[in-house]
Amino acid sequence: MRRRAFHLILVLACMGVVLSALAQEGHPLTGTWSGDWGPTATQRNHITFVMSWDGKNVTGTINPGPDAIPIGSVFVDVTNWNIRIEADAKDQAGKPVHIAAEGRLDDIGSYHRRLTGTWLQGTTKGDFKLTRD
């Protein structure tokens, strides 16, 4: 009887550790993501996203640094993990350019999950691939 009680306590303690570790991770989009986007396989642009969950919304920045682009909105469809990210940037001439990225979150159980899909920046359409660092 004591042995069973000990094993039960051990199993519950292990489950508590695992569940608390998973809970610490937070929203599936929280973190730093890196990858690229481009209209063709040879024309690619490196991108970095830093996103966080404030308890209500996903917020963040594209390419943090002096030319950072604040993320305007993030929509998450949790039924199929489709994601839509929108932001407004400026091109090299300083003209406004709208960015819309739509994709799917894959390997959601992995720390290094992936987000892939279509990217529209102004009139240039391409694809993007991001992996959480």
Side-chain angles (χ1 to χ4, degrees), residues 54-116:
D54 66 8
K56 192 174 182 180
N57 297 304
V58 175
T59 59
T61 305
I62 302 171
N63 293 333
D67 297 323
I69 303 164
I71 294 174
S73 66
V74 177
F75 172 76
V76 180
D77 181 351
V78 295
T79 60
N80 53 18
W81 293 107
N82 285 335
I83 313 292
R84 180 172 176 80
I85 301 170
E86 295 195 36
D88 290 309
K90 293 186 179 178
D91 66 11
Q92 291 178 345
K95 294 180 182 177
V97 176
H98 186 72
I99 297 171
E102 286 193 47
R104 179 172 165 78
L105 189 59
D106 292 312
D107 289 338
I108 195 159
S110 168
Y111 183 82
H112 298 289
R113 54 191 65 116
R114 293 184 319 270
L115 181 58
T116 57

Side-chain angles (χ1 to χ4, degrees), residues 10-58:
L10 185 62
V11 168
L12 290 174
C14 289
M15 286 176 55
V17 169
V18 169
L19 290 174
S20 74
L22 290 173
Q24 302 268 335
E25 190 174 313
H27 194 278
L29 291 177
T30 294
T32 301
W33 298 73
S34 61
D36 61 21
W37 83 273
T40 68
T42 56
Q43 291 180 305
R44 307 305 291 174
N45 301 285
H46 179 78
I47 50 175
T48 300
F49 280 57
V50 177
M51 294 187 279
S52 62
W53 170 251
D54 66 8
K56 192 174 182 180
N57 297 304
V58 175

